[in-house]
Amino acid sequence: MPNEWQSVFDQIKSHVSEMAFKTYCANLKCISFDNKIFKISAPNIFIKQQIEGKYREQIMEAIKASGVDCEGFEVEIEKADKPKENRHAVEIVSNEPIGRQAQTQNSPSSVMPARKVPSNITHSKNPRFSTEDSGLNPMYLLSNYVVGSNNDYAMSAAQAIVENPGTVYNPLFLYGGPGVGKTHLAQGIGNEIKRRYPEMRVLYTTIEQFYSDFVTAMKNKISGFADKYRNLDVLIVDDFQYIVNKKASQDEFFHTFNELYQHNKQVIVTSDRLPSQIETVDPRLASRLMMGMPIDIQMPDFETRCAIIKLKAEFLNADIDDPAVEFLARNIQTNIREIEGQLQRVLLLAEVRGVKPSELLLGEAATISAPQIQSMTSSRVIQPRKVVDTVSGFYGIDVEDLLGTSRRKEIKTARQIAMYLMSKELSLSTVKIGNEFKKDHTTVMHGIEVIENSLKTDFNLRSQMTELREKIYA
């Protein structure tokens, strides 16, 4: 690494947030420094886009603060040691998470020496339970988890847990609708803990598997159930909402949780709703799960959906042009799994027909009869007025007041929410949004920033934003 880049790299740490540095900047590498231009590599296309767009100004400030005589930088995607295989015209059936094993194995983070288990953790000794039985999918990694405003708080918690398992955000309760990335993040934490601390025992399971194991053990009088679930350092339980009407299993899970928690073992639970919102859940268990940190994960906004599509296409070794990316991101509002599934179908049909994905979706080829694509060909062009009417009706505010000059708190907040939605969902510039509200573009920028900051900690606002998006695209 050139000395100049080391100076800049040290400065970057003080010019971006800790989370941004760990997520986007930590794995940047300098390839060369010629003609006063740094050429740096990023692990994947998503990080490349974030660095070039969102963090370019901060990095240029870091360069200036370092005293290096530099006029700018260029970013390219890190090349894997092995050449990519040619993609064949076969449909990928499974909804695998975004990622690439070859890339991960060659990334700087994956070759770091394993860390010692934190001093507060005494890892379990149980020869009957093999570390190979973790249940983790090796494709779910924190390094290929796309971070946006919908999940940045959850990602911060994940990184804190990885640094000190069992001491912060314990238990971690992740909740949100289907297909928003809860499983990916939870297993990503598990995989990263396994990489850093090989001695620790990690188990990922679903609540249904826990229930099945418990019933089988009781019915057949099989010993070892308690050993399997209580002699762990990290327990990750997915789809907790399916524990309804299973009183005996709830009691067993309650005691399992207490055993782990009292010994500073990390517990991570995912669900589509809060424990208090699940019928027949024991209040004692619900209160235990809320002791640590319940964090909701929302549907990604337009920009994050674009990044997910591009990164997924990269994993599939496929090229996709920006018009197709934006079409898919704008027209698929259900969940990430649906986005991935439709992307795979588009790429397959585009290759079979020998056209670009954008031509398949937007050109003459968009008249194809495949039902999966046909459902998307009627592109829904959302007008700014639709956003205004939706926000107005949702909060019971007159349209005239929303578009007017009232400074009442509830009207001002609703106005800022409408500005935020126009920016994130319609990709309108601050100038165009200002024209809709007869406001200066700086006022619009401030309003968008206020909502972005509020969404990081205001879970009620996040829930409202999800409902508003559903109404806008209904």
Side-chain angles (χ1 to χ4, degrees), residues 118-135:
S119 57
N120 65 294
I121 297 290
T122 303
H123 65 269
S124 304
K125 300 289 186 180
N126 181 12
R128 297 179 59 184
F129 183 71
S130 169
T131 56
E132 295 179 356
D133 297 329
S134 68

Side-chain angles (χ1 to χ4, degrees), residues 149-151 177-180 297-302 304-305 332-337 339 425 462 466 469-470:
S149 59
N150 63 306
N151 59 15
V180 296
I297 301 179
Q298 295 289 320
M299 265 295 293
D301 57 22
F302 175 76
T304 307
R305 293 196 298 272
I332 303 177
Q333 300 293 324
T334 49
N335 57 54
I336 297 173
R337 294 195 190 102
I339 291 174
E425 299 302 318
R462 286 191 175 195
T466 298
R469 287 193 176 102
E470 291 175 352

Side-chain angles (χ1 to χ4, degrees), residues 2-254:
N3 293 333
E4 295 88 352
W5 175 250
Q6 184 62 60
S7 300
V8 173
F9 193 74
D10 293 340
Q11 284 293 328
I12 291 175
K13 296 178 183 178
S14 61
H15 282 75
V16 301
S17 67
E18 181 179 0
M19 186 194 75
F21 180 82
K22 290 181 178 179
T23 305
Y24 304 114
C25 304
N27 290 330
L28 295 178
K29 293 191 294 187
C30 181
I31 300 173
S32 64
F33 181 48
D34 298 316
N35 299 322
K36 298 183 180 181
I37 298 293
F38 280 114
K39 182 176 287 187
I40 57 180
S41 66
N44 56 56
I45 190 171
F46 175 66
I47 292 180
K48 176 179 183 293
Q49 291 172 337
Q50 294 294 306
I51 293 297
E52 289 179 329
K54 189 173 182 179
Y55 296 102
R56 176 172 288 277
E57 184 176 342
Q58 289 96 319
I59 292 177
M60 288 304 300
E61 290 176 355
I63 291 174
K64 183 178 180 180
S66 70
V68 176
D69 186 11
C70 174
E71 296 178 355
F73 65 91
E74 300 173 355
V75 187
E76 63 180 46
I77 300 173
E78 181 179 327
K79 296 180 180 179
D81 292 341
K82 297 181 180 180
K84 294 181 180 179
E85 298 178 357
N86 292 329
R87 187 168 68 93
H88 301 289
V90 293
E91 182 171 8
I92 300 175
V93 178
S94 64
N95 286 324
E96 291 291 351
I98 301 169
R100 183 167 50 193
Q101 285 179 308
Q103 172 183 298
T104 305
Q105 291 167 355
N106 291 303
S107 66
S109 60
S110 65
V111 297
M112 289 171 59
R115 299 189 183 188
K116 294 182 178 179
V117 176
S119 57
N120 65 294
I121 297 290
T122 303
H123 65 269
S124 304
K125 300 289 186 180
N126 181 12
R128 297 179 59 184
F129 183 71
S130 169
T131 56
E132 295 179 356
D133 297 329
S134 68
L136 294 168
N137 185 333
M139 297 290 285
Y140 285 116
L141 304 171
L142 294 183
S143 60
N144 57 37
Y145 185 74
V146 179
V147 182
S149 59
N150 63 306
N151 59 15
D152 54 355
Y153 193 24
M155 184 60 162
S156 295
Q159 292 168 333
I161 288 172
V162 166
E163 293 294 331
N164 293 287
T167 61
V168 293
Y169 299 104
N170 192 27
L172 174 65
F173 191 92
L174 299 172
Y175 67 101
V180 296
K182 303 185 298 294
T183 299
H184 186 156
L185 183 59
Q187 291 207 42
I189 296 171
N191 278 314
E192 183 64 13
I193 289 175
K194 287 291 294 178
R195 184 186 69 79
R196 294 194 184 199
Y197 318 111
E199 306 94 335
M200 296 184 71
R201 288 180 166 81
V202 180
L203 176 66
Y204 165 85
T205 187
T206 64
I207 198 66
E208 290 184 321
Q209 184 62 52
F210 180 90
Y211 169 74
S212 177
D213 288 349
F214 175 69
V215 170
T216 300
M218 295 300 100
K219 181 179 179 180
N220 301 321
K221 298 181 180 180
I222 300 174
S223 62
F225 175 84
D227 289 341
K228 175 179 178 180
Y229 286 99
R230 299 186 188 184
N231 290 318
L232 294 168
D233 299 300
V234 181
L235 173 62
I236 303 171
V237 179
D238 210 352
D239 293 328
F240 179 76
Q241 69 271 13
Y242 294 121
I243 202 170
V244 293
N245 299 320
K246 298 180 175 69
K247 186 178 185 305
S249 296
Q250 286 191 43
D251 289 341
E252 180 61 29
F253 187 78
F254 175 80

Side-chain angles (χ1 to χ4, degrees), residues 278-408:
I278 302 175
E279 296 180 3
T280 73
V281 169
D282 188 330
R284 298 177 305 159
L285 179 56
S287 65
R288 292 292 196 282
L289 293 175
M290 297 293 287
M291 287 192 308
M293 177 58 68
I295 300 178
D296 71 326
I297 301 179
Q298 295 289 320
M299 265 295 293
D301 57 22
F302 175 76
E303 292 176 349
T304 307
R305 293 196 298 272
C306 286
I308 291 171
I309 291 169
K310 288 186 177 182
L311 194 58
K312 182 65 179 179
E314 181 193 1
F315 167 65
L316 296 173
N317 193 21
D319 294 324
I320 184 168
D321 41 1
D322 288 342
V325 170
E326 293 177 4
F327 181 92
L328 290 170
R330 196 175 302 285
N331 285 277
I332 303 177
Q333 300 293 324
T334 49
N335 57 54
I336 297 173
R337 294 195 190 102
E338 179 66 15
I339 291 174
E340 293 180 0
Q342 295 289 16
L343 171 64
Q344 291 170 0
R345 297 184 183 101
V346 168
L347 294 174
L348 169 66
L349 290 169
E351 182 170 339
V352 170
R353 292 179 175 272
V355 297
K356 293 181 179 180
S358 61
E359 294 174 353
L360 183 74
L361 295 170
L362 304 170
E364 294 180 0
T367 58
I368 58 175
S369 59
Q372 297 92 343
I373 306 301
Q374 231 179 18
S375 64
M376 300 188 301
T377 52
S378 55
S379 178
R380 293 164 290 175
V381 179
I382 306 299
Q383 300 297 332
R385 183 62 188 227
K386 177 70 179 293
V387 175
V388 171
D389 291 342
T390 302
V391 173
S392 172
F394 186 82
Y395 290 106
I397 297 172
D398 291 339
V399 171
E400 291 76 12
D401 291 334
L402 196 65
L403 297 174
T405 59
S406 174
R407 301 290 295 174
R408 284 171 50 191

